[in-house]
Amino acid sequence: MARNPYLPYPARIDEVIVENEARDIKTFRLVFEDPKSAVEFDHLPGQFAELSLPGMGEAPFGIASSPTETDYLLFTIKRVGLFTTEIHSVEAGTAIGVRGPMGRPFPWDTMAGKNLLIIGGGFAFTTLRAAIKYILDPANRSRFGSILVIYGARTPGELMYKDELTEWQARDGIDVHLTVDHADEHWTQHEGVVTSLLGALKPSADNTLVLVCGPPIMIRFTLVSLATLGFSEDAIILSLEMRMKCGIGKCGRCNIGSKYVCKDGPVFTYQELRTLPTEY
Amino acid sequence: MTEKRIPHTDLDGLLGRLRERGAVYAPARDDAGDVALTQAPLDDPMVLEYRNFRLSPKAFFLPQSQTLLTFCDGEAHEPSLPDGETFLVGVRPCDAKALLALDKVFLDGDPPDPYYARLRETTTVIALACTRPMSSCFCTSVGGGPGDGAGADVLAVGLEADLLLRAQTPKGEELLSSVADLLADATDDAVKEAEKRVGAAESLIAPVEVDNSAQRLRDGYDSPCWETASQTCLGCGTCSFLCPTCHCFDITDELRGTRGRRVRTWDCCAYPLFTLHGSGHNPRPSPKERWRQRIMHKFRYAVENLDRLFCVGCGRCIRNCPASMDLRTVLRELGA
Amino acid sequence: MTPSHEIEARLRETAEELLREKRVDLFLGYEKATLPFRTTPLFLTSPEEVERLAWNPFCTTNLAVYLPRLFKAPASAREAERAPPLPTVAVVLKGCDARSAIALVQERQVPREKLVLVGVACPGMVDVRKAERALGEHEALGAGEDALGNIHVVVEDGREVTLPREEIVADACLECRAPTPSLPDVLVGEPVEGKDPDGARRQTDEFASKTLDDRWAHLQDELSKCIRCNACRQACPMCYCKECLLDQTRPRWVGTSTDMSDVTIYHLVRAFHMAGRCTECGACARACSMGIDTRLLTRKLGQEVEDLYGYRSGESADVLPALSAFDMDDAQDFLTEP
Ligand SMILES: Cc1cc2nc3c(=O)[nH]c(=O)nc-3n(C[C@H](O)[C@H](O)[C@H](O)COP(=O)(O)OP(=O)(O)OC[C@H]3O[C@@H](n4cnc5c(N)ncnc54)[C@H](O)[C@@H]3O)c2cc1C
Ligand code: SF4
Ligand code: SF4
Ligand code: FES
């Protein structure tokens, strides 16, 4: 019989990493209790999962690790409400439930052979991290052209995955540019919003697809800049967030027009989004 | 398709036989004088004269509160699924048809919902054709009708002295054959009488223009009528909770000590909290967007996604809205 | 009793004048609904459309429920800057509705100077469910009122049925203590007297005289019908909280299920928050599609406050609500000697 879609895979929190100065964003490293679950949980960057603490609730989070990181799953979670506060209070060793993977990943088939421009803002960088790790895996890197990453946060202390950012900036095969809205005395890189860095770098739209994840306001301005740079609507790939419960197209909570973000998304091209009502 | 006849006087015998197999819910009058599907004791004769029940039978398939998982010492367990049979007798054709809509979401959807699937599997629906529709009924405009048996396992039509029974599904066939000794063959006269009665009921129902509603609602997305129509909406859940096709739900956890459960409960798109994000942002911030969502879901989104209207014209939302809103009004205004 | 059609004409004149002279931005009244025995609230902004205004025995909705949302305080200073100026609103109010409007003024939810209270002396409104039940298995196609105030109904087979008004009037109306609005800016219709002003007490007294077990059993029996649709709360003009305790998730005080424990807490919380605030309009009970008398508890607690503090909500715009006021000689032994 098919697995009950409401029954989570049992997993354990292996490690908790504080990501930012405000200490309201943490990355959780999860290991499945049963190695078989890890095999069944077959995901691609861009997908999400429902995490739950028994009796404390359940909520959807983008998968921040790449399937090439085979021993664990990563989720980066900002503390905002009931469940997120609860999970922020637990320590390594805590049991946790994982349902998924859910949703449509980034369009990896279309992305093959293309240059990629990856634009992230704030804590929405999670699935973009998964994408970058996936692309940089030796088995995958040759499938893609040049990789340009632009990542911004409000302050240097709010940038996540700092060690990896440093590592990526140092290595070949990827070009990573960082920016912060408000620099401090140690900051030597770009200062200003993401779009100002985008304007300065002027990436070419030629044979290039863009992945954009960030707060709504950043997305709005980024779309304008991308249009100016000549990117077409079907070359821009976005990931949406809606309130979700079931994650499997039944509870009726996450629709935008006739699309269910949990099933038909969360990844959409800008062209697809343009055909939907603006209720997001 | 088997067609049989049973005299009204033998109905109690039929119910008795069903009771031997499982739980039987049949129409009975409650203290307040309303007829409701009731697990009545044997000696109550089945009520045949009623319009429709206040509550739709959807709760038999999608209970208002349903335990999805239980927790014990931090471990999640699946609750055991019911395996006894249930018989719903006297469900109206609109409400039976609504099951086909729910099936699209909970059975045909990928993945299927195991809880709904089990309740659907163990429940047999015997519908009873309507003879006296209400002024709020519009089933004939949304692909149904007072004598439509779609969604039911058996359709019964009340005649002068008999009920005509028509099997609609293999489950219905099995049921009729299991009580064959109580049944007589349907005569041509009985079939004709049934047709006449259903036809008479049909003629009493005022049509609502819903042809091509998906296209017309696409065109009417920005119509000012949403604002005017929704001004009076109080934001309660009466329409959704009484509607036989509304199926949106919430999932919440409960914990007491080391034991708890994950429970799903009916929810409603008219509630502001339904779509409120953690950040405080709300994609459907006012009654306008929320009321539009309800109509769009039923008459456009469901058509686009599942090729089916999610309204069966039962009129419950119209009769029971505390502000007397009527979705037929906006459908007319939009020509949808 | 002033005939309904005269009241209707006066309401239309009043609305026309107020809107034409731009003394109000919005006139809140009633319009005929699509089904018999019902009206639907009408938000009127143009003097040309006053013919849509209706007055008949089916004007049940307490229109005061719409006032708080029209005067909602801006969420932030930034929003306040962009917020349009507050509207001036005329609203049609029956006796009980007027109490709600005044109570909202008392509780600082709506500014009195932005309101034009159009009071109608109310002969008691028809309860849809009573009317439909009185017809048995007949279906009304249309309903109107005769000169005596009785209800004429045309049923599906074309016959006419007369339903005596007092048999189908809402419970809240039967026991209404103030059918003529106090303190209106405009009063339409000859003042009327309450039919059975002691009725309200009788029902709650009867409830109170039962044993504790019987009271509990009665409540459980009634509440077992509840489907948690929130209609009672949403129809109540005094339930305006921006974030209702019953919706809160951090922590979640009340479970979302229809288990008796959750349903009971839901109703007890609502009742407690109505102590000294319920205006006895019966909107909650009428809104309940399951026919639960949600008013029993709220009214009981209203009466407790009345007995303890001599306070009834919505009787004067200048008096502080009982729960907002404190006096050294306030009754308090109910706290210490339960
Ligand atoms: C596809 C997808 C991917 C996502 N990926 C990530 C990710 O990678 N990382 C991440 O951090 N988040 C992510 N999110 C967002 C995340 O799901 C939400 O932050 C999370 O569901 C919040 O759950 P909660 O229980 O903490 O909030 P809740 O407490 O459930 O809050 C729920 C609602 O209640 C309201 N609420 C709660 N408390 C109050 C209060 N005191 N007053 C008023 N209203 C209140 C909130 O506004 C909110 O709308 C993602 C969401 C989606 C849909
Ligand atoms: S929308 Fe209204 S009329 Fe249509 S099925 Fe639902 S309750 Fe019945
Ligand atoms: S209106 Fe009735 S059914 Fe709905 S929550 Fe209130 S008491 Fe319960
Ligand atoms: S989260 Fe339930 S339908 Fe999308």
Side-chain angles (χ1 to χ4, degrees):
Chain A
M1 214 185 84
R3 193 184 159 78
N4 182 337
Y6 299 101
L7 183 69
Y9 293 112
R12 199 158 288 281
I13 297 176
D14 191 35
E15 194 184 351
V16 183
I17 306 147
V18 178
E19 290 288 356
N20 64 344
E21 254 168 34
R23 304 186 67 84
D24 61 356
I25 303 174
K26 289 183 181 176
T27 294
F28 297 84
R29 199 167 81 164
L30 269 52
V31 179
F32 286 111
E33 295 285 11
D34 181 352
K36 276 210 300 271
S37 318
V39 178
E40 283 179 39
F41 193 97
D42 183 17
H43 71 104
L44 278 173
Q47 289 189 289
F48 68 98
E50 292 266 0
L51 298 186
S52 60
L53 294 167
M56 296 298 171
E58 191 174 45
F61 300 96
I63 303 167
S65 54
S66 155
T68 53
E69 300 169 87
T70 47
D71 297 339
Y72 53 85
L73 290 177
L74 295 179
F75 293 91
T76 303
I77 297 176
K78 187 179 163 93
R79 190 177 65 222
V80 295
L82 190 70
F83 178 79
T84 50
T85 303
E86 204 57 50
I87 196 171
H88 265 248
S89 71
V90 306
E91 289 164 7
T94 305
I96 188 166
V98 186
R99 283 199 296 136
M102 291 163 172
R104 189 165 68 149
F106 294 123
W108 291 102
D109 289 341
T110 335
M111 284 153 67
K114 298 279 186 350
N115 300 321
L116 301 177
L117 169 58
I118 297 176
I119 306 176
F123 79 101
F125 196 65
T126 57
T127 52
L128 294 180
R129 179 206 173 267
I132 294 169
K133 281 299 261 193
Y134 184 68
I135 297 164
L136 291 181
D137 190 84
N140 294 329
R141 182 62 192 90
S142 58
R143 289 166 56 206
F144 307 95
S146 70
I147 312 292
L148 173 62
V149 178
I150 298 175
Y151 175 34
R154 212 163 285 155
T155 61
E158 293 303 301
L159 287 166
M160 312 189 301
Y161 314 125
K162 286 189 198 61
D163 294 346
E164 278 171 327
L165 293 175
T166 315
E167 181 198 322
W168 295 337
Q169 287 197 310
R171 62 167 280 171
D172 290 338
I174 186 166
D175 192 10
V176 177
H177 293 261
L178 305 178
T179 181
V180 294
D181 297 357
H182 308 287
D184 59 15
E185 62 269 34
H186 307 296
W187 187 250
T188 55
Q189 306 191 43
H190 192 270
E191 180 175 0
V193 291
V194 163
T195 39
S196 73
L197 181 52
L198 182 62
L201 292 170
K202 290 201 181 46
S204 156
D206 191 36
N207 194 35
T208 303
L209 290 183
V210 199
L211 306 185
V212 191
C213 293
I217 180 100
M218 180 207 100
I219 293 194
R220 190 141 22 101
F221 287 106
T222 303
L223 289 172
V224 176
S225 304
L226 288 172
T228 325
L229 291 168
F231 287 91
S232 63
E233 287 176 0
D234 60 346
I236 303 171
I237 296 148
L238 302 143
S239 185
L240 291 189
E241 268 187 27
M242 284 290 271
R243 196 95 199 276
M244 286 183 187
K245 284 288 175 180
C246 70
I248 50 176
K250 309 218 180 300
C251 75
R253 188 173 305 263
C254 68
N255 73 301
I256 303 173
S258 50
K259 297 287 179 214
Y260 283 91
V261 174
C262 68
K263 279 184 70 170
D264 304 313
V267 173
F268 293 96
T269 68
Y270 185 39
Q271 190 178 40
E272 287 167 330
L273 270 192
R274 291 290 295 255
T275 65
L276 298 180
T278 48
E279 286 179 357
Y280 48 87
Chain B
M1 182 189 68
T2 309
E3 262 183 331
K4 294 281 178 186
R5 223 161 22 102
I6 184 167
H8 290 173
T9 44
D10 287 351
L11 269 178
D12 292 335
L14 174 66
L15 294 188
R17 291 281 279 278
L18 298 181
R19 280 194 189 93
E20 289 166 15
R21 285 174 60 174
V24 177
Y25 291 81
R29 210 168 282 282
D30 65 17
D31 299 342
D34 292 330
V35 176
L37 270 184
T38 315
Q39 199 173 8
L42 271 164
D43 46 359
D44 276 12
M46 178 174 153
V47 179
L48 286 169
E49 289 294 317
Y50 56 94
R51 289 173 190 275
N52 200 354
F53 316 122
R54 183 179 299 287
L55 288 172
S56 91
K58 80 172 165 194
F60 286 98
F61 305 92
L62 187 68
Q64 175 152 18
S65 312
Q66 184 170 40
T67 302
L68 296 179
L69 298 175
T70 56
F71 302 120
C72 187
D73 296 322
E75 261 183 53
H77 304 277
E78 291 177 82
S80 56
L81 298 175
D83 43 26
E85 276 193 286
T86 300
F87 298 89
L88 305 182
V89 184
V91 167
R92 287 305 186 189
C94 54
D95 292 342
K97 192 168 193 96
L99 296 175
L100 297 182
L102 297 181
D103 286 352
K104 285 270 186 189
V105 177
F106 292 100
L107 290 186
D108 306 349
D110 174 33
D113 186 287
Y115 304 97
Y116 177 88
R118 176 56 68 90
L119 288 170
R120 191 79 167 92
E121 208 178 287
T122 53
T123 308
T124 306
V125 177
I126 301 164
L128 180 60
C130 299
T131 47
R132 296 194 298 168
M134 298 176 274
S135 51
S136 47
C137 293
F138 58 104
C139 52
T140 47
S141 300
V142 286
D148 187 1
D153 298 300
V154 174
L155 174 73
V157 186
L159 310 177
E160 191 61 40
D162 301 314
L163 282 190
L164 181 74
L165 300 175
R166 192 175 286 154
Q168 302 283 334
T169 61
K171 213 197 271 178
E173 292 283 357
E174 183 274 320
L175 178 79
L176 291 192
S177 71
S178 75
V179 293
D181 54 310
L182 294 175
L183 309 177
D185 282 338
T187 57
D188 282 353
D189 281 351
V191 173
K192 276 206 201 94
E193 187 187 343
E195 234 166 67
K196 212 172 103 216
R197 287 183 173 231
V198 167
E202 258 166 26
S203 68
L204 294 174
I205 300 174
V208 185
E209 191 56 58
V210 298
D211 288 348
N212 205 10
S213 65
Q215 183 56 45
R216 282 189 260 183
L217 285 174
R218 258 193 297 278
D219 297 342
Y221 186 84
D222 291 315
S223 158
C225 86
W226 300 115
E227 177 83 49
T228 28
S230 65
Q231 271 175 329
T232 57
C233 178
L234 294 169
C236 76
T238 306
C239 50
S240 293
F241 285 15
L242 297 187
C243 176
T245 70
C246 273
H247 58 272
C248 289
F249 59 81
D250 194 2
I251 300 179
T252 50
D253 276 16
E254 294 171 0
L255 193 64
R256 225 177 132 190
T258 59
R259 290 173 169 272
R261 63 169 179 168
R262 181 158 297 154
V263 58
R264 95 163 136 204
T265 47
W266 293 351
D267 209 339
C268 167
C269 59
Y271 296 155
L273 294 179
F274 190 67
T275 47
L276 186 67
H277 285 205
S279 61
H281 167 67
N282 195 339
R284 295 201 279 268
S286 74
K288 172 186 145 190
E289 293 85 15
R290 302 196 276 266
W291 165 242
R292 177 170 63 193
Q293 162 67 20
R294 182 160 196 274
I295 306 298
M296 287 275 171
H297 188 179
K298 296 192 168 300
F299 295 92
R300 172 185 157 192
Y301 304 152
V303 176
E304 290 173 345
N305 283 333
L306 305 169
D307 202 20
R308 175 173 282 279
L309 289 169
F310 264 47
C311 170
V312 291
C314 72
R316 283 190 180 82
C317 56
I318 307 170
R319 297 191 86 80
N320 292 288
C321 175
S324 298
M325 294 169 77
D326 186 336
L327 46 61
R328 293 175 298 181
T329 311
V330 328
L331 290 178
R332 274 196 198 104
E333 248 168 71
L334 288 174
Chain C
M1 194 179 92
T2 316
S4 292
H5 64 90
E6 274 178 37
I7 293 180
E8 185 172 85
R10 276 287 311 284
L11 286 177
R12 290 177 181 174
E13 279 164 32
T14 310
E16 203 273 338
E17 196 178 304
L18 288 170
L19 287 168
R20 182 169 37 79
E21 292 174 1
K22 301 212 182 330
R23 279 155 58 202
V24 299
D25 303 296
L26 175 68
F27 189 98
L28 254 173
Y30 301 92
E31 181 176 26
K32 267 183 92 116
T34 49
L35 294 183
F37 304 128
R38 291 158 174 88
T39 55
T40 187
L42 176 64
F43 287 60
L44 204 60
T45 49
S46 139
E48 281 80 51
E49 290 187 47
V50 295
E51 294 301 309
R52 291 171 64 187
L53 271 176
W55 180 260
N56 56 39
F58 317 120
C59 294
T60 43
T61 312
N62 182 344
L63 297 176
V65 73
Y66 295 105
L67 295 176
R69 63 164 91 161
L70 293 170
F71 298 102
K72 205 155 63 195
S76 61
R78 186 128 146 262
E79 216 176 87
E81 263 171 42
R82 281 178 300 174
L86 291 179
T88 310
V89 180
V91 51
V92 176
L93 301 165
K94 308 181 291 288
C96 53
D97 310 342
R99 270 185 71 191
S100 308
I102 297 294
L104 288 170
V105 172
Q106 282 179 289
E107 296 186 5
R108 305 268 191 278
Q109 295 305 307
V110 295
R112 179 67 182 90
E113 66 280 9
K114 291 288 176 187
L115 296 179
V116 177
L117 306 181
V118 182
V120 181
C122 172
M125 290 293 143
V126 166
D127 181 318
V128 190
R129 258 179 295 278
K130 280 193 189 178
E132 288 181 345
R133 212 163 267 153
L135 288 177
E137 286 306 314
H138 285 296
E139 169 80 356
L141 298 181
E145 189 186 18
D146 67 14
L148 296 169
N150 293 324
I151 309 304
H152 273 253
V153 190
V154 181
V155 295
E156 79 286 345
D157 54 14
R159 278 186 308 132
E160 257 196 53
V161 180
T162 303
L163 301 174
R165 190 177 186 120
E166 66 271 19
E167 284 177 18
I168 56 170
V169 150
D171 287 342
C173 301
L174 286 173
E175 44 193 59
C176 178
R177 296 194 266 192
T180 305
S182 51
L183 321 160
D185 296 307
V186 182
L187 180 65
V188 180
E190 290 293 319
V192 280
E193 291 292 321
K195 292 176 192 59
D196 180 17
D198 301 327
R201 284 279 170 173
R202 247 195 332 271
Q203 205 208 344
T204 43
D205 286 351
E206 189 198 315
F207 178 69
S209 71
K210 292 184 185 179
T211 65
L212 202 56
D213 285 346
D214 285 352
R215 268 181 272 168
W216 185 249
H218 174 82
L219 282 182
Q220 296 294 292
D221 197 36
E222 274 287 293
L223 298 182
S224 65
K225 295 184 269 183
C226 177
I227 56 171
R228 293 285 301 270
C229 66
N230 291 324
C232 47
R233 179 185 75 183
Q234 296 306 107
C236 173
M238 305 314 291
C239 273
Y240 52 69
C241 288
K242 234 189 288 178
E243 194 192 342
C244 177
L245 181 148
L246 299 165
D247 287 336
Q248 274 168 1
T249 55
R250 273 198 297 167
R252 188 183 288 289
W253 304 98
V254 189
T256 53
S257 85
T258 36
D259 293 357
M260 277 320 288
S261 57
D262 286 338
V263 171
T264 308
I265 294 291
Y266 178 99
H267 287 278
L268 290 183
V269 164
R270 216 185 82 80
F272 273 114
H273 286 198
M274 284 299 131
R277 302 181 59 240
C278 171
T279 58
E280 307 179 292
C281 67
C284 54
R286 276 193 306 269
C288 179
S289 60
M290 302 311 295
I292 302 170
D293 183 9
T294 49
R295 215 169 48 113
L296 176 65
L297 285 180
T298 56
R299 202 176 29 171
K300 171 76 181 139
L301 286 164
Q303 289 164 2
E304 298 283 337
V305 170
E306 187 176 342
D307 293 345
L308 286 166
Y309 302 105
Y311 171 84
R312 291 218 291 149
S313 62
E315 290 194 324
S316 158
D318 309 319
V319 175
L320 268 186
L323 297 187
S324 313
F326 175 73
D327 258 328
M328 285 310 283
D329 50 6
D330 272 349
Q332 47 192 308
D333 45 348
F334 70 96
L335 286 174
T336 50
E337 331 258 325

